[in-house]
Amino acid sequence: MSYVDGFVLAVPNENKQKFIDYANKFDTIFIEFGATRIWECWGDDVPKGEVTDFYRSVQAKDDETVVFSWVEWPDKATRDAGMKKVMEDPRMEAANPMPLDGKRMIFGGFTPVLKLEK
């Protein structure tokens, strides 16, 4: 079964196009090293919660939008090998500075346990 890396980010509203351009440039490296699909999703209907929410998870400021992203891989072995290659790729050095505060990004790898499709 596939493997998924998930990300939640806070991106300054004024950097929306910079973020899209950034992701378009660097996400292709993930595809090159085995990722099968990448989604970059700009927050549109993200409610504030009473206890916790996406905004608090990344300490988003009033002038920032929450971005939810994921990278799909065929399996964890491909992800582990691909991610290692991505991190070692010299093109990634140009990924800084990012159009967001990377210290507030949350991320993790996930094993799917259920997949429904139409």
Side-chain angles (χ1 to χ4, degrees):
M1 185 173 265
S2 62
Y3 194 80
V4 176
D5 282 308
F7 306 85
V8 180
L9 325 158
V11 179
N13 296 328
E14 66 184 26
N15 288 355
K16 181 177 181 179
Q17 190 57 51
K18 286 181 184 177
F19 172 77
I20 293 167
D21 295 343
Y22 176 92
N24 193 44
K25 180 177 182 178
F26 294 103
D27 287 357
T28 58
I29 298 171
F30 288 81
I31 297 290
E32 182 179 328
F33 292 125
T36 57
R37 184 164 64 161
I38 300 174
W39 285 74
E40 302 285 0
C41 305
W42 192 260
D44 177 56
D45 184 13
V46 184
K48 302 240 179 180
E50 291 184 27
V51 178
T52 191
D53 56 39
F54 279 106
Y55 297 98
R56 286 179 230 179
S57 72
V58 292
Q59 300 173 354
K61 300 172 185 166
D62 290 340
D63 64 342
E64 294 178 323
T65 296
V66 174
V67 172
F68 179 64
S69 307
W70 69 92
V71 178
E72 291 183 33
W73 303 86
D75 51 55
K76 188 170 188 314
T78 302
R79 179 267 197 172
D80 290 348
M83 191 63 82
K84 182 177 187 309
K85 289 177 184 175
V86 167
M87 294 303 144
E88 293 173 349
D89 192 292
R91 293 173 290 178
M92 291 303 289
E93 290 180 24
N96 289 311
M98 293 188 290
L100 57 110
D101 181 358
K103 293 178 185 172
R104 291 186 284 138
M105 172 175 53
I106 60 172
F107 58 91
F110 300 86
T111 301
V113 294
L114 175 66
K115 182 177 179 180
L116 300 176
E117 294 182 308
K118 185 173 181 180

